[in-house]
Amino acid sequence: MFHIWTLIPALYVLFRFIKPLPAPLTVKIAVAGAMILASEFHLITKLFTGNMFSPEIPKSLLLLTTGIFGMTVFMAVLLVLRDLFWILHRLVSGRWMKWHAAYWFILPVLAAMLTTQALKNGTGVPEVKKIDITLRSLPPRFEGYRIVQLTDLHASRLLPRSWIQDVVTRTRELDADMIVVTGDMIDGWPEARFSDIEPLAQLRAEDGVFAVTGNHEYYFGAENWIPAFEKLGLHFLNNAGYRVSRDGDSLYLSGVTDAVAPTYALPGPDLSTALNSSRPGETVILLDHRPENAVQAAESGVSLQLSGHTHGGMIAGLDRLVAPANNGFVSGLYEVGGLKLYVSNGSGIWNGFPFRLGKPAEITLITLHGETSSRIVE
């Protein structure tokens, strides 16, 4: 089904721009062919490599195909806007608008500019986003407690070892009390990707580095990836909990697996098991790759849920389309009953659609407070 959706923009551009384009037929065929191949690149890699999520091809070729695909998508969007304006003009004026010859040049140039910027935003090293979150039940000894959240790193040929190293360096500079990684750390099998994620071994925090699996870990053998990550010092909380204590006060950190796990004959998310060792009235922080089950977490007494998965919607406006699949939780801070939910835009991005406009990637520094209000710090 995904491959049909990626083909739709290409077909729209083909019939609404390339077909009427005043150019030789050979040029039209070449442009249309490149556009369709790039749009169906996910299907091609799936047919020839068995997996559409991690094409093990040179980065330069991946950037080329991704760039053509992105330009196709942005061209389709611009064409839809043009056609809507065209129809509106017809309804208002009673006549069809004639386009200037320069239009055939301006539209692809705009699409190329948008693609270039979106790809740059998607593959750049994320900036640090600072957010203060208040929890009513926060113990006094944890006032000002600092947590760094990394999520959706998606290490791949597009975001290789050097990129991971830069993220780790920025994270270490924050000197947080705890570091959490909420899933989708890789795209690729251990033999292809382990060297890329090795810099994660440099992560350090006083109370530890914790993680849960996302859906992409299961696409590449989570049963093999989890031990690999544990060798690098990540402590997994898959349907488990861990208590952090300070002078008699405590926080209970818990985590669940991803909903896709049972498809791979592995344990699915089990919140009750994850919270089994928590104490009544204790401040509970939940790591859940997906934000969609926040209501259930709130009903179970969780104080704070940290999630990712959505990439913030990637492009402003597109986030509204992503929202229904995640129960309305896409980006930023939400309050669900007595629960605070923070959905990160993600630190990296999937190589199949590595574009961002208006939804920047982030390394999230969360500071906990026991006051009655929360605020975003730019």
Side-chain angles (χ1 to χ4, degrees), residues 225-258:
W225 264 121
I226 292 174
F229 281 117
E230 289 177 333
K231 288 180 181 178
L232 299 177
L234 277 67
H235 180 58
F236 273 79
L237 294 176
N238 284 340
N239 298 330
Y242 179 87
R243 180 166 288 105
V244 180
S245 299
R246 289 192 173 181
D247 299 327
D249 285 344
S250 66
L251 290 178
Y252 187 79
L253 181 67
S254 58
V256 292
T257 58
D258 188 78

Side-chain angles (χ1 to χ4, degrees), residues 50-370:
N51 197 302
M52 64 179 262
F53 293 100
S54 180
E56 301 299 337
I57 61 175
K59 183 177 180 179
S60 57
L61 180 57
L62 187 56
L63 283 170
L64 176 63
T65 56
T66 299
I68 296 173
F69 173 54
M71 189 167 174
T72 301
V73 172
F74 284 112
M75 275 286 290
V77 172
L78 291 172
L79 285 168
V80 168
L81 293 175
R82 180 210 66 173
D83 288 347
L84 290 175
F85 179 76
W86 196 34
I87 293 170
L88 181 62
H89 181 271
R90 167 66 174 176
L91 292 174
V92 173
S93 68
R95 53 189 176 83
W96 293 114
M97 175 182 288
K98 292 184 179 180
W99 300 103
H100 191 276
Y103 149 81
W104 300 104
F105 172 77
I106 293 173
L107 211 63
V109 168
L110 282 175
M113 291 172 63
L114 288 169
T115 301
T116 301
Q117 187 59 52
L119 189 55
K120 180 181 178 181
N121 294 346
T123 58
V125 179
E127 297 293 334
V128 175
K129 180 178 180 180
K130 298 179 181 180
I131 176 171
D132 287 80
I133 299 180
T134 61
L135 302 175
R136 289 193 295 268
S137 61
L138 188 72
R141 295 295 183 183
F142 287 91
E143 173 65 33
Y145 193 78
R146 289 153 53 90
I147 303 172
V148 169
Q149 180 191 10
L150 302 175
T151 191
D152 299 276
L153 290 164
H154 288 285
S156 66
R157 286 290 181 95
L158 197 60
L159 301 177
R161 184 187 181 106
S162 59
W163 184 89
I164 295 290
Q165 181 63 66
D166 288 340
V167 172
V168 168
T169 299
R170 288 194 177 182
T171 300
R172 291 196 61 177
E173 289 172 350
L174 298 174
D175 192 28
D177 298 293
M178 177 190 294
I179 297 172
V180 298
V181 189
T182 50
D184 278 10
M185 291 166 272
I186 49 83
D187 278 316
W189 301 99
E191 57 269 23
R193 200 87 310 121
F194 185 77
S195 64
D196 289 324
I197 54 91
E198 276 185 314
L200 294 179
Q202 301 167 23
L203 291 174
R204 295 286 187 278
E206 180 180 350
D207 290 324
V209 182
F210 301 89
V212 291
T213 45
N215 49 307
H216 280 238
E217 274 73 53
Y218 294 95
Y219 301 155
F220 298 98
E223 68 278 7
N224 295 320
W225 264 121
I226 292 174
F229 281 117
E230 289 177 333
K231 288 180 181 178
L232 299 177
L234 277 67
H235 180 58
F236 273 79
L237 294 176
N238 284 340
N239 298 330
Y242 179 87
R243 180 166 288 105
V244 180
S245 299
R246 289 192 173 181
D247 299 327
D249 285 344
S250 66
L251 290 178
Y252 187 79
L253 181 67
S254 58
V256 292
T257 58
D258 188 78
V260 79
T263 306
Y264 296 86
L266 292 171
D270 189 337
L271 184 58
S272 61
T273 299
L275 302 180
N276 188 50
S277 297
S278 62
R279 299 166 181 165
E282 191 170 32
T283 296
V284 177
I285 300 174
L286 173 66
L287 309 181
D288 186 344
H289 178 64
R290 302 179 190 239
E292 59 199 59
N293 293 321
V295 173
Q296 179 188 355
E299 292 172 348
S300 299
V302 174
S303 308
L304 171 64
Q305 177 175 326
L306 301 178
S307 299
H309 186 60
T310 66
H311 298 179
M314 297 166 286
I315 296 173
L318 186 61
D319 54 337
R320 293 301 90 203
L321 299 178
V322 172
N326 296 279
N327 281 339
F329 308 121
V330 182
S331 174
L333 185 62
Y334 301 85
E335 188 159 357
V336 185
L339 167 78
K340 295 293 177 65
L341 165 68
Y342 186 75
V343 186
S344 169
N345 286 351
S347 307
I349 202 160
W350 175 46
N351 59 74
F353 195 80
F355 306 106
R356 288 187 182 273
L357 283 175
K359 293 293 179 178
E362 62 186 76
I363 295 169
T364 317
L365 175 61
I366 299 166
T367 303
L368 301 182
H369 298 285

Side-chain angles (χ1 to χ4, degrees), residues 17-29 31 104:
F17 186 83
I18 295 178
K19 185 178 178 181
L21 183 68
L25 180 60
T26 53
V27 173
K28 293 183 182 183
I29 292 174
V31 172
W104 300 104

